[in-house]
Amino acid sequence: MLYINCPHCGMRSQNEFSYGGDASVKRPELNKEVSDQEWDNFVYNRKSLRGKHLELWQHISGCRQWIKVERDTATHEIFRTFKADEEVA
Amino acid sequence: MQKYSIFNLVKNAFSNHQNWDLAWKDPTPKEEYDVVIIGGGGHGLATAYYLAKEHNITKVAIIEKGWIGGGNVGRNTTIIRSNYMHDENGLFSEFGMDLWRKMSQDLNYNVMFSPRGIINLAHSDAQMNAYARRGNSMRLNGIDAVLLNREQVKEIIPMADFSDNVRFPIFGGLMQPSAGTARHDAVAWGYARQADSMGVDIIQNCEVIGFDVSAGKINGIRTSRGNIKAKKVGLCVAGSTNILAEKLNMTLPIETHLLQACVSEPIKPVLDNVVTFGAGHFYVSQSDKGEMVMGGDLDGYNSYAQRGNLPTLQHVLTEGIAMMPFLSKLKMLRTWGGIMDMSMDGSPIIDKTHIEGLYLNCGWCYGGFKATPASGWTFAHTIAQDRVHELNAGYSLNRFSTGHLIDEKGLGTKTWIS
């Protein structure tokens, strides 16, 4: 069982969350020309890192907020959690 | 190579089976090969076998980080089927079914292929309609499909829950009678033994740490056991695809996820077929040892752990008990996990890359084992001829940018959502 520290609600079990994938992916700016390759990278291509991975989770059975979680994909250790709009240093 | 036969079995019995030849050798890597296959799983071993057999290319090495057959070919639930709706998947898999039928003879190794049939259960009228459509598509591609009503399903699997007050009543099902199971380890070992006998070097405990690429062309690989020159390199590394892609500065439409399976204690024969639950994601068959072999959803988050987490197992088995209540009486014997190369449309990639001489085989999601022979055969063709075969033409890497997705399940890019 993973335990995720929701920045809004505190420590909760993974059963309350749903996964949202890689949080480092940025949607292309819409006010400029976007190439097919940029869309491709945004929609499909993923690094799928082994080790530290910044990812989105939604606290679906709690506050329903999206949050960012820094987790190790090899050990499943969770290092830090952030609010969705928080910048990650 | 020593042939496996009843006569050799008897002959070797007289010497207490101490004098059998080794099934494959343990060579040290040579300086150079025509083709290097990275990944000694089912697909890699099959690729090397078909390179030698179909294309007469025998200066081939298989580079394996651990031991052959220790990844997903040793961790799956052994199901073989071709019950796909889309032409690309159906024709590819049905070509594979032919190879499965001949495999034990072809490899002189008993892979225990057992065409016991697979039944996908339907739990609503809409699902019955969808199965009728899928079954018709299958039959148009020459694949056997039978639409069963509730009574027919009850006759085949009376132990499923046919009572009136269930949340997901069984309306019927779609059956592919020619689908089945095979002994997964034997598939890896059979391909390895034949490939080795034709001159392929199977190099285990050898990790790839880098690639030698210059002017857009592959020249070789760097490994923990030294540099190896190669004219062509094929990647067949399933859940480790992204790790190697990073060393090539490639970002792929693949995410690595964790999938679990489990077996119960062995019981007397009760289930003749493979059965899948249609209102969730659960499947079950009974092994020759009597264990109920079960699996279902991914754990649902990126992982390289090769070991599972209990909430998903509990969820999957809850579905199993909803489908076949007697499963709740069984004790669990083993659970394990493997890491899946989940592609962004749920279909695989077997293609050339932008690097000359580098070939890619990945994205097998839940269905890598059954594809082993067809994947090896088409990947060998793609490498040997430097062009894709019509069977894997749809499994191109650039289909994601051109929009020619093969989205069999209609899951979109989030194939890990359960």
Side-chain angles (χ1 to χ4, degrees):
Chain A
M1 180 77 78
L2 302 181
Y3 287 94
I4 300 173
N5 190 9
C6 172
H8 306 281
C9 312
M11 194 68 90
R12 301 295 175 91
S13 89
Q14 77 178 87
N15 290 335
E16 295 188 13
F17 294 84
S18 77
Y19 184 63
D22 190 339
S24 69
V25 178
K26 289 265 186 297
R27 189 186 171 93
E29 298 282 342
L30 285 179
N31 54 4
K32 67 174 183 77
E33 190 72 20
V34 182
S35 69
D36 284 356
Q37 186 61 48
E38 282 172 280
W39 278 123
D40 218 18
N41 288 339
F42 169 63
V43 180
Y44 298 116
N45 293 333
R46 296 290 178 269
K47 290 200 174 98
S48 193
L49 300 173
R50 186 181 198 278
K52 267 190 189 174
H53 187 241
L54 191 68
E55 56 202 20
L56 292 167
W57 289 76
Q58 188 186 11
H59 195 183
I60 196 141
S61 305
C63 61
R64 301 193 61 80
Q65 296 293 314
W66 283 93
I67 61 169
K68 289 184 214 165
V69 176
E70 188 183 55
R71 186 181 61 95
D72 192 306
T73 57
T75 64
H76 296 172
E77 182 182 356
I78 292 172
F79 304 104
R80 297 183 291 174
T81 56
F82 308 89
K83 292 176 182 169
D85 58 356
E86 234 175 297
E87 282 301 320
V88 179
Chain B
M1 186 187 58
Q2 200 173 19
K3 195 171 154 60
Y4 290 164
S5 68
I6 182 80
F7 304 108
N8 267 329
L9 190 67
V10 172
K11 194 178 122 197
N12 278 280
F14 289 109
S15 52
N16 288 326
H17 298 289
Q18 298 298 305
N19 297 325
W20 285 102
D21 291 348
L22 285 179
W24 53 84
K25 298 178 280 294
D26 184 20
T28 44
K30 296 192 185 85
E31 202 167 293
E32 187 174 1
Y33 291 95
D34 288 341
V35 180
V36 164
I37 304 292
I38 302 171
H43 292 220
L45 293 162
T47 303
Y49 169 71
Y50 291 114
L51 275 172
K53 182 177 175 242
E54 304 286 338
H55 306 280
N56 221 7
I57 300 174
T58 55
K59 221 177 148 194
V60 176
I62 293 171
I63 306 294
E64 167 57 47
K65 183 172 72 172
W67 64 96
I68 57 165
N72 295 341
V73 73
R75 294 164 189 262
N76 59 77
T77 47
T78 80
I79 296 164
I80 293 159
R81 59 189 175 83
S82 59
N83 53 356
Y84 287 101
M85 187 171 82
H86 289 314
D87 290 349
E88 294 90 343
N89 291 331
L91 295 171
F92 177 88
S93 305
E94 187 57 17
F95 175 78
M97 292 302 292
D98 266 341
L99 296 174
W100 279 112
R101 289 178 201 113
K102 294 182 241 161
M103 191 182 288
S104 289
Q105 293 300 323
D106 192 25
L107 298 180
N108 178 228
Y109 205 108
N110 187 3
V111 300
M112 298 164 76
F113 176 54
S114 162
R116 58 183 68 185
I118 186 169
I119 301 170
N120 301 128
L121 294 179
H123 307 273
S124 66
D125 284 326
Q127 208 168 11
M128 282 299 280
N129 289 341
Y131 280 171
R133 180 177 176 226
R134 169 139 70 105
N136 285 332
S137 299
M138 288 164 62
R139 293 172 72 122
L140 285 171
N141 282 333
I143 304 163
D144 57 328
V146 184
L147 195 65
L148 305 170
N149 62 29
R150 181 179 161 92
E151 291 312 310
Q152 290 167 311
V153 173
K154 195 172 179 178
E155 219 161 88
I156 302 172
I157 47 165
M159 77 297 277
D161 196 345
F162 287 93
S163 55
D164 295 327
N165 58 347
V166 290
R167 172 69 182 82
F168 299 107
I170 295 169
F171 275 55
L174 181 66
M175 183 172 190
Q176 186 193 1
S178 69
T181 60
R183 177 149 185 244
H184 50 187
D185 297 321
V187 176
W189 299 335
Y191 275 124
R193 175 169 161 264
Q194 287 290 347
D196 175 88
S197 80
M198 289 187 284
V200 172
D201 280 357
I202 298 172
I203 299 160
Q204 305 182 77
N205 299 310
C206 181
E207 184 175 359
V208 172
I209 49 183
F211 295 85
D212 179 10
V213 180
S214 61
K217 188 178 180 318
I218 195 111
N219 301 313
I221 59 170
R222 294 193 295 278
T223 78
S224 56
R225 293 173 67 177
N227 294 351
I228 300 172
K229 284 186 211 153
K231 295 187 185 79
K232 295 178 177 181
V233 174
L235 251 57
C236 259
V237 293
S240 301
T241 301
N242 290 93
I243 297 174
L244 289 188
E246 196 190 354
K247 297 181 199 299
L248 288 156
N249 290 322
M250 288 168 76
T251 317
L252 297 172
I254 301 281
E255 271 186 33
T256 295
H257 281 258
L258 179 60
L259 182 62
Q260 297 191 68
C262 58
V263 294
S264 75
E265 60 185 326
I267 55 172
K268 292 208 168 176
V270 58
L271 180 63
D272 298 329
N273 318 93
V274 182
V275 182
T276 75
F277 184 54
H281 195 175
F282 171 84
Y283 48 87
V284 60
S285 63
Q286 189 169 17
S287 76
D288 294 325
K289 288 183 281 185
E291 302 154 338
M292 306 304 287
V293 185
M294 299 171 278
D297 282 319
L298 297 168
D299 274 30
Y301 41 81
N302 290 42
S303 176
Y304 287 91
Q306 285 190 312
R307 63 182 181 278
N309 202 345
L310 280 176
T312 304
L313 203 56
Q314 185 178 29
H315 170 73
V316 167
L317 293 173
T318 305
E319 295 175 48
I321 291 165
M323 183 175 92
M324 290 183 180
F326 83 95
L327 293 173
S328 71
K329 306 291 181 201
L330 302 181
K331 292 185 180 68
M332 191 70 74
L333 197 62
R334 293 190 301 278
T335 80
W336 65 93
I339 51 174
M340 307 295 118
D341 36 339
M342 301 301 292
S343 70
M344 291 289 166
D345 62 355
S347 297
I349 296 161
I350 307 176
D351 203 359
K352 299 162 66 171
T353 64
H354 69 283
I355 299 170
E356 195 186 329
L358 183 77
Y359 305 85
L360 189 61
N361 180 329
C362 62
W364 291 99
C365 300
Y366 299 93
F369 175 66
K370 60 143 202 303
T372 304
S375 162
W377 196 96
T378 52
F379 197 40
H381 181 280
T382 305
I383 294 171
Q385 314 272 335
D386 193 39
R387 61 185 164 85
V388 295
H389 188 269
E390 61 180 23
L391 283 167
N392 65 315
Y395 293 158
S396 64
L397 179 56
N398 75 353
R399 70 176 184 269
F400 297 92
S401 43
T402 61
H404 294 85
L405 303 186
I406 311 169
D407 193 355
E408 186 81 27
K409 289 185 179 163
L411 287 174
T413 60
K414 304 242 184 313
T415 43
W416 34 264
I417 282 185
S418 47

